[in-house]
Amino acid sequence: MDKRQLAEELGHPGAQELLAGSMARLAYNAHDGFPRVIPVGFHWTGEHIVVSTAPTSPKARALASRPQVALTIDGGSTPEEAKALLVRGVATLDTVSGVTEEYLESARNSMDGPELEEFERNVRATYQAMVRISIEPLWARFYDFGAGRLPDFLAELVKGG
């Protein structure tokens, strides 16, 4: 996918709405050769999707040698409301002292006030270090099923082709 197409997909208002969220599903290849799909908190920087984790996490160990990932962010509870952003990319890992700012930013998307303060206190007490997993999108597609923005195969099927 060229950079212009990638920018169009990620820049779509519906995609931006999903990127402003706090949860996604991350797919990666584990050391045993089998894929894993796990829920993760994330933060969109405008260029990268950042996931933070403990240095001892299975995903950090696996991504160190197999950095290719896929991510899905979706929303809507009915077919008419269903939206999904699919992303494929490459992860870069960086271990930092303490808690990554992106981890706290992700939490701010879903909580505030005393709940956020308690969360931040607990996180800072728990993590001596974190791994920042910065995912560079190389391919993306935004689907809005209610608006007719469908995968090509499904659009053809709906048209009767």
Side-chain angles (χ1 to χ4, degrees):
M1 168 173 273
D2 69 37
K3 289 185 181 202
R4 182 192 57 77
Q5 291 171 309
L6 181 62
E8 284 177 14
E9 291 295 320
L10 293 173
H12 186 284
Q16 287 292 301
E17 182 180 322
L18 292 173
L19 286 164
S22 61
M23 293 299 297
R25 291 175 193 86
L26 175 68
Y28 65 94
N29 289 309
H31 286 295
D32 63 6
F34 285 93
R36 302 284 193 277
V37 178
I38 58 169
V40 293
F42 74 94
H43 176 72
W44 171 242
T45 69
E47 294 182 10
H48 294 91
I49 297 167
V50 178
V51 174
S52 301
T53 191
T56 56
S57 74
K59 66 182 162 285
R61 288 192 310 270
L63 290 172
S65 59
R66 295 176 186 83
Q68 299 82 5
V69 298
L71 230 124
T72 300
I73 309 166
D74 55 43
S77 57
T78 67
E80 295 79 25
E81 297 170 344
K83 296 177 180 158
L85 177 62
L86 311 181
V87 177
R88 292 182 213 145
V90 176
T92 303
L93 282 65
D94 180 34
T95 301
V96 301
S97 180
V99 177
T100 67
E101 186 55 35
E102 294 89 353
Y103 190 73
L104 298 173
E105 280 297 318
S106 175
R108 290 180 189 119
N109 288 336
S110 61
M111 61 181 89
D112 59 14
E115 180 184 26
L116 178 61
E117 290 171 14
E118 181 179 354
F119 174 81
E120 186 171 338
R121 236 184 344 270
N122 289 335
V123 167
R124 290 190 187 282
T126 302
Y127 290 95
Q128 299 303 308
M130 288 189 103
V131 174
R132 176 186 292 114
I133 302 168
S134 181
I135 300 166
E136 177 186 2
L138 300 176
W139 179 96
R141 284 285 188 269
F142 171 68
Y143 299 115
D144 184 340
F145 293 87
R149 191 176 166 104
L150 306 171
D152 290 341
F153 80 91
L154 192 51
E156 289 297 319
L157 185 62
V158 170
K159 282 195 274 186

